[in-house]
Amino acid sequence: MDTYRAAARAAQWPVSLPTPPPGVRPAWGTLGAAIDHRLRYAFTCQQVIDDAVREGVASAAAWCASMRRPDIADAILATGRDLESELRFLVHQERPDDRGRPILLAAAAEDRLARLCVAMVWFEEVYRSGVLYPGSAIVRLASELTLPALLAQVPDYMVDDLTAQVQLAEGALRELRTGTGTNECCSGPVFAGSCAVGGADADLIAGRLLLDFKALKDPVRLPPAAAYQLAGYALLDFEDLYRLEQIGFYLTRSGQLITWGLGEFADLLGAQIPVPELRAELSGHLADEDPDTAA
């Protein structure tokens, strides 16, 4: 954490913060997840929509069906299909992962993609939490839910906030983006050991770098658990499928990329054996656990 804080303090760059209307509290979690999705598209569009979003659509529809509201369930499923179709069309047309183009799209396309990213997160939150909250835009629209209606529910301040963070990434991630091809990047990667811990998907692998996006209001205040989470992703790659060499965080609100060598990162966390041996020990430990308690 000391090495992280030193790097975060060194730049002392201004932090980009949302400016919601008076009396409105920023939806920090939704904004953080939405910029994660948006920045992934700057590196690769091979996976147009995350599996967690699809699961969220299915879960929301199943919950409504169980409440004897098949009309709302049908509207949710139709909106989910339209969401994926619109994303496919937009990324095919705009090619946000094209290294010959800026990360920031033309204004109308960027606005559209930002709204689609927020809509994805609204469904993803159902999957992550297991709850369809009564106050959510999905529930408010009920049987009137359509993709245009859902996108219209995305507040303008969210679009402006995401756009500002994308502008920051233009300079901060330029070298990493131009130094990797789309076929060298993986969005939302899962690992050989992911199922053994109940599921674990990271944010992005770019080349040999495992990267976690953090939309921190105060870049210096990274929760210590975040370092162990990032290390956990790397160790769950039991078969060294991704050939990782580096690991790090990209701070989306201050435009800071902080990285370490994978071995150095493990050493700083107190590792006393090399990463391949750590992976082997973790794999054996999880294999010995009761399947019902491993998750």
Side-chain angles (χ1 to χ4, degrees):
M1 296 308 299
D2 285 343
T3 64
Y4 168 83
R5 293 187 189 104
R9 288 192 181 102
Q12 294 185 337
W13 295 337
V15 177
S16 177
L17 297 175
T19 54
V24 175
R25 184 178 183 275
W28 295 108
T30 301
L31 287 168
I35 192 61
D36 178 350
H37 285 289
R38 174 60 188 91
L39 292 179
R40 293 182 192 185
Y41 288 123
F43 287 85
T44 177
C45 295
Q46 291 180 358
Q47 181 172 300
V48 173
I49 194 165
D50 196 280
D51 287 340
V53 178
R54 292 195 185 99
E55 291 290 341
V57 172
S59 297
W63 186 85
C64 291
S66 73
M67 299 299 290
R68 299 182 181 180
R69 291 301 307 266
D71 54 334
I72 302 178
D74 290 343
I76 288 172
L77 292 173
T79 300
R81 289 192 295 268
D82 290 345
L83 174 61
E84 184 164 357
S85 177
E86 177 65 15
L87 280 164
R88 289 189 185 281
F89 174 78
L90 185 61
V91 300
H92 176 75
Q93 183 179 52
E94 299 295 333
R95 293 181 293 159
D97 61 353
D98 185 344
R99 271 52 173 179
R101 299 184 177 194
I103 293 179
L104 187 69
L105 305 178
E110 191 64 50
D111 182 290
R112 185 73 171 175
L113 185 51
R115 292 180 187 276
L116 288 166
C117 286
V118 172
M120 276 197 294
V121 173
W122 282 339
F123 284 113
E124 183 181 352
E125 287 170 345
V126 177
Y127 167 70
R128 302 287 185 192
S129 68
V131 177
L132 182 56
Y133 290 104
S136 72
I138 299 168
V139 173
R140 287 199 305 271
L141 290 168
S143 61
E144 301 300 315
L145 177 68
T146 63
L147 181 61
L150 186 63
L151 298 184
Q153 292 289 308
V154 178
D156 290 340
Y157 88 85
M158 283 191 169
V159 176
D160 294 341
D161 182 55
L162 294 175
T163 300
Q165 292 181 74
V166 175
Q167 287 177 318
L168 273 176
E170 192 72 65
L173 295 178
R174 181 185 294 116
E175 185 175 344
L176 178 63
R177 185 171 181 255
T178 57
T180 57
T182 57
N183 61 334
E184 297 176 281
C185 298
C186 182
S187 172
V190 294
F191 308 95
S194 291
C195 289
V197 295
D201 56 317
D203 288 346
L204 179 73
I205 292 175
R208 303 292 172 81
L209 169 64
L210 173 62
L211 195 59
D212 196 28
F213 296 120
K214 293 296 183 188
L216 300 176
K217 292 180 284 185
D218 181 353
V220 176
R221 299 181 65 180
L222 179 77
Y228 289 105
Q229 181 182 24
L230 193 56
Y233 291 144
L235 294 185
L236 288 170
D237 186 16
F238 296 151
E239 300 168 359
D240 197 21
L241 177 66
Y242 296 105
R243 310 281 301 279
L244 298 174
E245 295 176 355
Q246 289 185 295
I247 195 167
F249 299 100
Y250 173 64
L251 309 181
T252 67
R253 294 192 176 280
S254 56
Q256 294 170 272
L257 180 61
I258 302 174
T259 65
W260 299 261
L262 178 56
E264 175 194 7
F265 192 78
D267 289 345
L268 288 169
L269 287 174
Q272 298 180 355
I273 58 176
V275 169
E277 293 181 32
L278 287 170
R279 285 175 173 151
E281 285 202 6
L282 178 59
S283 177
H285 173 73
L286 292 174
D288 290 340
E289 283 196 355
D290 186 299
D292 293 330
T293 62

